[in-house]
DNA sequence: CATGAATGAGTCTTCATTCAT
DNA sequence: TATGAATGAAGACTCATTCAT
């Protein structure tokens, strides 16, 4: 049974996605991933040199888009926040599984800092908005977390039409933002 | 060198607190805890009969207070939300490290459901408030998460004067709640 | 050096047989078994998923035959005793090592009750015979033990032609049974 | 609380007897023994330098009597067998617990050979009797085991008046011995 | 005399990773 | 290319024994 490289890679990715989402990075088992992908461990290691590498292959596309997103931040501070929120919604929709994997269980991985990055970018955008409005910027820290975890909670319990809920939630978090801060 | 029991216990607790906070329950290693406490595994087990027991020694007091808090929920729906938020602030102040440990990684522990419970209680209190105001209650789910993770983030980055920040954050999350929801 | 699976399995079984026979189940060490089989513990566990499983691989066939034997006990009390004794001899011949392992140390195993069962079945058959002859049946208890341990001793010291010895021993134990009891 | 040495020794012995009978040598725990004797491990080790030493202190008296018994074997072969059987009954009565300990769990101890010795002495006496009667002596091996384990079984299930049963059993094993062997 | 804290090597078991085939 | 056997270090936990106090 001669198999095309790419087809095998897909099988691995599919199996790994499931495993990482279910178990997080550290508790995920290479053996399980291999056997659920109908192959041997040895062969798995021919495609990805170790667990972190495989993890990266999954998180990768999301990772790239996040880098992209950061690179294209609007110049004007006032636009950054809405730019980010819009894009987060997009990313979550297009990379649901990876997003949850990244935020659910990347501890112990070099990708953990990507998750941290997301927080930082959002945090800074919030700070800018607050400062533009002459408000104390410290609150940006918890609010950024609140937004991200709120969105993740929606994503996790999602059964389809959660786009609306995400919009409502973001609205709830942002409406009249300036007047809610000291 | 023979050391006093209590002093050793403190060393263990200190080391375990760090480990559990960093890794969560399942990924925490008794070996690491022991060696960071400058002792052998065997000796660690003289003080705490197993990993869960040690975890309990750290989380225990917070656990009790949370049970207590749940047992004393106000009858009236309108009072529940502010009761919870006030008490969360108190608990976080008095059990900073434990709170982060509990919410950071209690998976695999009998204490896990407490963390889940907290989410639920808060969620339900939010739902009640929203319904009392004739608003759609679905948003309670992400908002409850947002509040808890926001508070945790404050706790984590704390350098002292964070009580104010928590107040500001909760104010931010709650002010004019009814008018921000459809 | 890569070795064929079956050859390794044999090495394990051989080593385990020795260990279990010498130490019994509880005191047997997986480390010893592995190292006497010239392999690492990790590899041992690739072949047998745990200690009990390995024990079962050794004791298994005997176990099945014993269950079989019990299921086919003759209806008539007079026939049971000779049926049992005949079959014991057969089983001991075909499963020498396993028999000694089972009776030497199956404590802590699900197979333990089989060894106990054997005692009981033989005991009851003896009781029946004694009662049929109008004798006091109490003596069946030590006599059943005596028979089994006597047979085991033969088995243990065996150097080949022990079938005769077993016959002689059973003859010794049974001849004129009724007239030797009060 | 100043305690007399001898009194402490007795407490240890009493506790150890229970533990060794229940668990056998290898699974017996020095910690349990110490704590059931209301003392610390450290102190226990002041009285007995290690586990085997303590085991010896318990088996000791039986051990001495067995040596004694062997030293005083009757010259005449015909008398040896009944001498042994009588004395076994005595020893079992006077050292019930130690006897069961010795035969139940002395594996891994230097005292194991004492148990083996018992078998040998009885075996040889049986052989002599058989040879005196012009019979094949091989059967002495299993018969000696049978006798000892039969007696042990009685001892183990004893609830008081088992002396009779032991007599009956020995009678059963010995009556008309010569005519039951080829 | 006595304590009990500490050690170190042992128990079973799991798993990422390598490498001979 | 692919296999899967083998390794080695780690996981939680136990226990006989020693030794500072």
């Amino acid at each position: 049974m001669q198999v095309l490289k790419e087809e095998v890679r897909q099988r691995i990715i599919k199996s790994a996605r499931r495993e990482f989402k279910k178990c997080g990075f550290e508790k995920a088992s290479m053996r399980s991933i291999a056997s659920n992908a109908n192959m041997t461990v040895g062969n798995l290691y021919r495609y990805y040199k170790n667990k972190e590498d495989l993890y990266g292959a999954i998180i990768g596309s999301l990772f790239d888009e996040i880098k992209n997103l950061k690179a294209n931040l609007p110049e004007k501070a006032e636009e950054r926040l809405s730019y980010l929120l819009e894009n987060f919604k997009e990313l979550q929709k297009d990379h649901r599984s990876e997003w949850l994997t990244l935020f659910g269980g990347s501890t112990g991985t070099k990708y953990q800092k990507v998750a941290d990055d997301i927080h930082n970018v959002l945090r800074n955008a919030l700070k800018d908005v607050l400062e533009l409005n002459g408000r104390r910027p410290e609150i940006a820290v918890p609010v950024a977390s609140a937004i991200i975890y709120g969105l993740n909670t929606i994503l996790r319990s999602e059964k389809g039409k959660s786009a609306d809920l995400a919009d409502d939630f973001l609205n709830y978090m942002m409406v009249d933002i300036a007047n809610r801060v000291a």
Side-chain angles (χ1 to χ4, degrees), chain A:
Chain A
M1 168 191 52
Q2 176 81 346
V3 201
L4 288 184
K5 242 183 154 222
E6 197 44 34
E7 190 267 350
V8 175
R9 234 185 182 94
Q10 285 317 312
R11 260 159 52 210
I12 296 175
I13 289 294
K14 193 174 160 194
S15 171
R17 228 193 279 273
R18 277 229 310 270
E19 180 83 2
F20 283 128
K21 203 193 327 174
K22 203 178 64 181
C23 312
F25 179 76
E26 305 236 11
K27 299 205 80 199
S29 150
M30 293 298 267
R31 276 229 247 297
S32 293
I33 293 173
S35 96
N36 285 330
N38 277 318
M39 72 182 48
T40 53
V41 228
N43 202 27
L44 172 55
Y45 274 87
R46 296 201 68 255
Y47 288 81
Y48 299 95
K49 76 174 199 292
N50 56 36
K51 201 161 107 162
E52 180 139 18
D53 189 31
L54 175 53
Y55 189 81
I58 286 172
I59 288 307
S61 56
L62 174 58
F63 179 71
D64 290 343
E65 301 221 34
I66 287 175
K67 276 205 309 201
N68 207 34
L69 181 151
K70 288 203 314 184
N72 297 324
L73 272 186
E75 299 272 318
K76 304 189 183 170
E78 312 93 46
E79 300 172 11
R80 263 181 229 145
L81 188 54
S82 55
Y83 168 85
L84 285 173
L85 295 179
E86 271 318 302
N87 276 285
F88 283 179
K89 280 197 296 183
E90 281 304 305
L91 287 179
Q92 287 197 334
K93 207 193 315 164
D94 296 348
H95 306 269
R96 180 175 183 287
S97 179
E98 295 82 346
W99 183 280
L100 287 175
T101 303
L102 181 63
F103 283 93
S106 61
T107 322
T109 307
K110 65 179 174 188
Y111 296 95
Q112 168 141 32
K113 67 177 168 15
V114 183
D116 295 346
D117 255 11
I118 300 269
H119 277 95
N120 273 320
V121 176
L122 180 56
R123 195 170 293 174
N124 290 330
L126 275 166
K127 268 187 186 148
D128 292 343
V129 168
L130 291 172
E131 279 166 350
L132 280 174
N133 286 277
R135 305 291 167 165
R136 282 191 17 220
E138 292 90 340
I139 210 179
V141 173
V143 171
S145 287
I147 290 173
I148 289 172
Y149 281 106
L151 287 174
N152 288 353
T153 300
I154 294 172
L155 209 57
R156 202 171 289 119
S157 66
E158 175 179 7
K159 289 285 172 272
K161 55 180 187 188
S162 65
D164 292 344
L165 189 49
D167 278 334
D168 286 351
F169 173 65
L170 287 178
N171 190 52
Y172 180 89
M173 294 299 291
M174 294 294 108
V175 150
D176 200 25
I177 173 168
N179 292 324
R180 284 191 275 151
V181 183

